[in-house]
Amino acid sequence: MTDHSSRSHAVLSASGAHRWMTCTASALLEQQFPDTTSDAAKEGTLAHELAEIKLRHYFFTLDFTKRKLNAAVKKLKEDSYWNSEMDGYTDDYLDYIKENALAFSSKPFVSIEKRVDLSTWIPDGFGTADCIMLSGNTLSVVDFKYGKGVPITAEKNPQMMIYALGAWAEYKFLYPIEHVHLAIVQPRISSEVSEWACTIDELLEFGEQVKAKAREALTEESVFTPSEDACRFCRARTVCRARADKNTKFGAFTATDPKILSNTEIGKYLALGEDVARWLKELQDYALSKCLAGEKIAGYKAVEGRGSRDWVDVDKALSAIKESGVPEELLYERKPLSLAQIEKLMGKKEFESCVGDMVIKNPGKPALVKSSDKRQAITTKITAKMAFNEEE
């Protein structure tokens, strides 16, 4: 089984391609900063290990028996980042892989946690694809993402396309690859799998773009092009001067009307300010860490925040309160778990079978998103047609 926690990363990693292909100068700049690991990343690593052993048991049962699977799962459950819902989410990933494999006209060749050589396009480049399947003239690459913060689409996804390039280079002599299918399973955000397909010619054309950007990123020709997406996970994002310059120019936009903003101007302000709030919060966190380390930040200092109260021994405290005459029923509240919590408890399939017809989906609260978002636009404006239908 792959040791996910010790995966090595190239300077120009496939997972960071969306960043260094947009802001080529970021690749070398962020090498000055440590690659720290968050609790969310450690949880994701554990989920990937669970997903991997489930796939190995399904596709290679003779080598990875039920006994080995159970032993491996038992070991993973000892990890402090384990939680019961992880089992259900990795089952979602496994179910999609099964369906994808069965959709081929013949039994596919499957490679799990495959390290692919990317040096044809990226100097010293390599990466690890979660699952690669090949059958006939079709290559399928599937990625499992356990994050629940940022939805990721497979459409023209640089990381996925780079993995596909590596898989093509590895297996092109064995399979006449003409069609490429990419999929991202992100079950904690959506039950819908993001899928996208392209031809091998389109993939190889993208490979030339990767080659040019990779060459630029490792030379003095690289340029800083900060943006919300490019900066999001960059290790240099907090103290990068290019990002600071971009965000401090936010107030330089001049409106045409000195008193009232037009809708066009509002759109421009929103676009200009996309990264400002996040940058300021990250800058505050960074400044706090420096103050706590004994360094000076002009005009600021670290202080102890407002504390909170807690019981030394909650059971002993409640017993004392009951003995004082307070009725026990006043000290506790009884309420059902939320719909989502019960679904996780039962599992999606059992939940749907038992009470699926008793669930309604309420409309979500209106949200402002970019025009590129695929969801249909809504409005509260009453049109003449709507008014006429209502009268009828």
Side-chain angles (χ1 to χ4, degrees):
M1 189 174 75
T2 307
D3 182 0
H4 293 255
S5 62
S6 62
R7 276 187 178 184
S8 54
H9 296 278
V11 173
L12 299 180
S13 65
S15 59
H18 70 284
R19 177 169 59 255
W20 57 259
M21 287 187 69
T22 300
C23 182
T24 52
S26 66
L28 294 181
L29 179 66
E30 70 170 353
Q31 297 304 306
Q32 301 176 38
F33 301 88
D35 188 4
T36 56
T37 301
S38 65
D39 287 341
K42 292 176 181 177
E43 185 182 47
T45 295
L46 187 66
H48 268 80
E49 291 176 354
L50 179 60
E52 179 190 352
I53 61 177
K54 286 184 176 182
L55 284 188
R56 291 200 181 281
H57 172 66
Y58 177 73
F59 286 108
F60 311 110
T61 310
L62 292 178
D63 292 326
F64 203 85
T65 62
K66 184 72 173 179
R67 182 176 180 181
K68 287 185 178 180
L69 173 67
N70 291 337
V73 171
K74 182 180 179 181
K75 184 176 180 181
L76 292 181
K77 286 184 176 181
E78 296 172 358
D79 193 292
S80 60
Y81 288 95
W82 171 271
N83 59 68
S84 57
E85 67 180 29
M86 197 175 284
D87 201 30
Y89 287 131
T90 50
D91 276 346
D92 292 341
Y93 172 63
L94 174 62
D95 289 342
Y96 175 76
I97 296 287
K98 288 179 181 179
E99 292 174 7
N100 200 4
L102 293 172
F104 286 106
S105 57
S106 59
K107 185 178 179 180
F109 165 81
V110 179
S111 183
I112 303 166
E113 291 297 324
K114 173 65 177 178
R115 179 176 166 126
V116 291
D117 182 3
L118 306 172
S119 57
T120 299
W121 301 274
I122 304 171
D124 300 318
F126 58 87
T128 305
D130 289 345
C131 182
I132 295 172
M133 291 186 283
L134 294 123
S135 179
N137 61 4
T138 300
L139 162 67
S140 179
V141 182
V142 185
D143 197 48
F144 175 58
K145 295 194 180 298
Y146 199 64
K148 58 180 179 179
V150 183
I152 301 173
T153 177
E155 183 176 354
K156 297 183 180 178
N157 184 288
Q159 177 185 6
M160 296 298 292
M161 294 180 78
I162 288 174
Y163 284 158
L165 284 168
W168 171 80
E170 180 81 17
Y171 301 110
K172 63 181 179 179
F173 298 108
L174 299 174
Y175 294 87
I177 300 170
E178 296 179 6
H179 305 288
V180 179
H181 172 261
L182 307 178
I184 293 178
V185 182
Q186 199 171 7
R188 297 178 84 187
I189 288 183
S190 173
S191 58
E192 298 294 325
V193 175
S194 178
E195 299 177 293
W196 185 68
C198 66
T199 65
I200 192 62
D201 290 338
E202 290 172 322
L203 182 68
L204 294 177
E205 183 180 344
F206 169 76
E208 292 305 308
Q209 298 173 27
V210 173
K211 190 182 297 184
K213 289 292 185 179
R215 184 167 53 245
E216 179 184 321
L218 298 176
T219 67
E220 295 181 356
E221 298 175 3
S222 63
V223 294
F224 287 102
T225 314
S227 69
E228 183 182 12
D229 291 337
C231 297
R232 188 183 298 275
F233 297 113
C234 178
R235 301 202 297 272
R237 66 186 180 277
T238 304
V239 293
C240 173
R241 186 172 296 279
R243 187 188 185 201
D245 289 344
K246 172 181 176 292
N247 285 326
T248 52
K249 289 177 182 176
F250 175 65
F253 175 65
T254 303
T256 56
D257 187 317
K259 298 186 183 70
I260 300 174
L261 293 176
S262 69
N263 288 351
T264 299
E265 290 164 346
I266 289 173
K268 288 182 178 179
Y269 266 119
L270 288 172
L272 286 169
E274 282 177 351
D275 190 46
V276 175
R278 181 181 292 109
W279 172 65
L280 286 174
K281 178 62 171 64
E282 291 171 350
L283 206 59
Q284 288 172 340
D285 292 342
Y286 180 80
L288 176 60
S289 70
K290 289 297 182 181
C291 288
L292 291 174
E295 298 184 30
K296 299 291 184 180
I297 297 293
Y300 291 85
K301 63 181 180 181
V303 298
E304 184 174 323
R306 189 171 184 175
S308 61
R309 300 184 300 169
D310 204 352
W311 299 113
V312 174
D313 186 325
V314 63
D315 293 329
K316 188 175 181 180
L318 290 175
S319 294
I321 292 171
K322 284 184 283 186
E323 289 175 5
S324 73
V326 177
E328 181 176 1
E329 56 269 21
L330 296 181
L331 301 177
Y332 299 90
E333 60 178 9
R334 182 173 179 266
K335 61 181 181 180
L337 296 176
S338 69
L339 186 152
Q341 290 172 325
I342 294 175
E343 184 180 45
K344 290 177 183 178
L345 178 70
M346 297 178 66
K348 289 185 177 181
K349 292 181 180 178
E350 185 179 349
F351 178 85
E352 179 63 28
S353 174
C354 181
V355 293
D357 59 348
M358 301 181 192
V359 176
I360 61 170
K361 186 172 183 180
N362 299 314
K365 184 179 178 181
L368 183 68
V369 298
K370 293 181 180 179
S371 299
S372 57
D373 192 285
K374 294 183 178 180
R375 285 170 290 183
Q376 184 177 0
I378 61 173
T379 179
T380 56
K381 181 179 179 181
I382 303 296
T383 65
K385 183 179 179 181
M386 292 166 63
F388 178 77
N389 288 338
E390 187 173 310
E391 290 176 4
E392 288 292 319

